[in-house]
Amino acid sequence: MTHPAPAPTSPGTATSPGAVEDALDQQHPDRGPGRGDAGMATAEYAIATLAACGFAALLLAVLSSGEVRGMLLGLVQRALSLV
């Protein structure tokens, strides 16, 4: 049993494979061609959040060290003595 060959379609028509993606690209100009990864934004936000948490932990460790705490305390005392 042979099947007839599908009729040729033009890009962007309802029967072409990329019609849905083409329609989405036209509705959202910030989406480029081939940007069908809808979940990528979530993954990017998760990575940025983890990086921010890591930076905050590093900053907390540095600022809570005795040497840095002494420098900050001296800076505040000098600023208050000038007033």
Side-chain angles (χ1 to χ4, degrees):
M1 175 177 239
T2 61
H3 296 284
T9 59
S10 63
T13 60
T15 57
S16 70
V20 174
E21 289 82 8
D22 290 344
L24 287 174
D25 289 342
Q26 290 173 358
Q27 290 175 0
H28 302 287
D30 57 331
R31 284 180 48 134
R35 296 274 323 246
D37 299 328
M40 283 304 292
T42 304
E44 290 165 358
Y45 284 127
I47 291 171
T49 301
L50 286 174
C53 290
F55 182 72
L58 179 65
L59 188 61
L60 180 66
V62 168
L63 290 178
S64 62
S65 69
E67 185 177 320
V68 174
R69 187 180 298 177
M71 288 188 330
L72 290 174
L73 184 61
L75 180 68
V76 169
Q77 286 175 346
R78 272 188 279 137
L80 290 177
S81 67
L82 294 174
V83 176

